[in-house]
Amino acid sequence: MNHEFNMVRACACLSITLLHCMLFLRDTVPVTMLDIYDIFRVLLCFATPAFVMLSETLIARSYHQSLPDAFLGKRLKFIVAPFIAFAIVSELVKVFVVGEAFDPMRLGSYLLGKYHGWFVIVIVQFYLMHMAIVKFKLSQLSIILLTSFITYFHYKYVTPHIDHRDYKFIFTTWAAFFCFGYFIGRYYQQVIAFIKQNTGLIYGLAILSIAISTANFIYDGKLVHSKLFENIPLTISLFGVLLLVGLKFGDRWWVQTVSRSSYGIYLVHWPVIVIYTTYLPMESLNYWLSIPLLFIMTTITSIVIVRSFNNIPLGHYIVGKDNYRGPKKAVAK
């Protein structure tokens, strides 16, 4: 079993949860600390690209030459239903927790992906792109050239003119991550052998990418989102680090626990944060205390919700599938 995948999945999931906890409590941070605070948020933005990139890595590792029957259908039924469910949940939270009036137009926008579950649309596009590669037997060179052109076109002609919240769904934003995910998966054994033999290089590239992202934040507009160009090397280098760390520590109980519920946590954590920050006096606490507290409470609550729904009929179609199988029973001798 490849426990290193669990490490990538778990750390990406925890990072996005922490990122959103920090977003909700940002107003409690002193002005003098905001730049340092936001730099940390920028670095956490590797999470969603790493999560969606992993989806392609796993597929390319197993299906780079042919696809099984009902490849798309089997995958969509476990991610699309929860995506729709939490679009509805997000509107219910707006109405019953935040106190806003019911808005059919807002609900419609959520169903089109304009809420925190938007990453599902990216994953579906990755599925379709992978299917096209296999069906048309695209050469490796053509994949590299095509994704390179798409990435160049996106950052040259799309990002300067459109708000990042409006292009986060489209494939051009994520083409580079798809490409790297595909080749990491296709040549996975060689990739693992390489990072084992070049540990210093992997960590060095990660440190360099962190430095570049930090510098760009300071000198280029202080933007915080996952669609920045410098997030490409940041995500890929940290992906490599997490694979490396996961080879040794990916079988730890907390990694397995979060990884099994990761898709559900991605969907559940945002409404949980809204509820906690609405009904609990989080802003009255010092941010050094309130942020870790909110993060821990949100993570545990999300896992409990995901696991609980998976114990009722069809619950996994609401919160996503949890792969927990319970403790192993002792075998009588």
Side-chain angles (χ1 to χ4, degrees):
M1 185 173 183
N2 297 98
H3 294 300
E4 60 271 23
F5 296 141
N6 292 332
M7 180 64 76
V8 176
R9 195 182 288 113
C11 288
C13 182
L14 292 175
S15 294
I16 201 67
T17 303
L18 178 57
L19 176 64
H20 290 155
C21 288
M22 294 178 70
L23 172 64
F24 272 77
L25 295 177
R26 187 176 183 273
D27 290 342
T28 67
V29 179
V31 175
T32 55
M33 292 295 296
L34 279 179
D35 279 355
I36 296 175
Y37 187 83
D38 285 340
I39 286 171
F40 190 61
R41 290 175 59 222
V42 166
L43 301 181
L44 290 173
C45 285
F46 87 94
T48 297
F51 192 80
V52 299
M53 194 168 94
L54 180 61
S55 69
E56 175 55 26
T57 296
L58 294 172
I59 292 172
R61 181 170 173 265
S62 301
Y63 307 119
H64 59 267
Q65 292 183 325
S66 62
L67 298 174
D69 294 337
F71 167 82
L72 188 60
K74 288 179 179 179
R75 283 156 180 79
L76 290 185
K77 70 178 181 180
F78 289 120
I79 66 171
V80 173
F83 168 80
I84 295 172
F86 269 84
I88 297 171
V89 168
S90 296
E91 178 61 25
L92 294 176
V93 168
K94 280 284 189 182
V95 175
F96 294 106
V97 178
V98 180
E100 298 184 9
F102 173 71
D103 186 347
M105 294 295 292
R106 183 174 59 213
L107 175 59
S109 70
Y110 289 164
L111 291 169
L112 292 174
K114 292 189 176 182
Y115 79 107
H116 67 277
W118 59 267
F119 69 95
V120 177
I121 296 176
V122 179
I123 292 176
V124 172
Q125 290 177 82
F126 278 19
Y127 290 164
L128 296 174
M129 185 63 183
H130 188 87
M131 291 174 67
I133 287 174
V134 174
K135 179 178 177 60
F136 297 109
K137 301 186 184 302
L138 298 183
S139 68
Q140 296 176 47
L141 178 60
S142 64
I143 294 170
I144 294 171
L145 292 176
L146 180 61
T147 54
S148 297
F149 172 77
I150 291 172
T151 302
Y152 170 79
F153 177 86
H154 176 80
Y155 285 100
K156 179 71 173 179
Y157 297 106
V158 177
T159 59
H161 307 292
I162 303 176
D163 187 275
H164 71 91
R165 288 166 293 191
D166 295 326
Y167 61 69
K168 63 185 177 183
F169 319 96
I170 61 175
F171 179 76
T172 60
T173 312
W174 308 100
F177 299 108
F178 174 86
C179 182
F180 277 94
Y182 175 82
F183 282 103
I184 291 172
R186 177 157 185 164
Y187 296 102
Y188 188 68
Q189 296 305 321
Q190 295 92 321
V191 169
I192 287 297
F194 177 82
I195 66 173
K196 283 182 177 178
Q197 295 169 3
N198 297 275
T199 302
L201 175 63
I202 299 302
Y203 284 114
L205 289 174
I207 293 171
L208 178 60
S209 298
I210 289 170
I212 291 172
S213 292
T214 301
N216 276 319
F217 172 82
I218 295 172
Y219 298 110
D220 192 25
K222 299 185 178 181
L223 300 174
V224 181
H225 61 81
S226 60
K227 282 76 66 181
L228 298 169
F229 179 79
E230 57 268 22
N231 202 37
I232 296 176
L234 177 69
T235 298
I236 293 165
S237 61
L238 291 181
F239 193 94
V241 168
L242 291 176
L243 287 177
L244 193 58
V245 174
L247 289 170
K248 291 186 177 181
F249 304 108
D251 60 347
R252 296 299 191 265
W253 68 268
W254 67 268
V255 177
Q256 303 256 3
T257 299
V258 175
S259 176
R260 289 174 181 134
S261 303
S262 57
Y263 180 65
I265 295 171
Y266 254 85
L267 293 174
V268 172
H269 79 276
W270 184 281
V272 171
I273 293 174
V274 174
I275 292 170
Y276 277 145
T277 53
T278 300
Y279 293 113
L280 297 179
M282 302 300 298
E283 294 186 355
S284 65
L285 301 174
N286 184 283
Y287 70 98
W288 285 108
L289 176 61
S290 63
I291 293 171
L293 181 62
L294 179 62
F295 170 67
I296 293 170
M297 291 167 55
T298 299
T299 302
I300 293 174
T301 303
S302 298
I303 292 172
V304 170
I305 291 173
V306 172
R307 192 159 293 178
S308 297
F309 269 83
N310 271 264
N311 286 327
I312 63 176
L314 304 180
H316 56 280
Y317 288 111
I318 299 174
V319 298
K321 195 172 183 179
D322 179 272
N323 295 316
Y324 178 69
R325 294 291 180 264
K328 294 181 180 179
K329 296 180 179 179
V331 178
K333 295 182 178 180

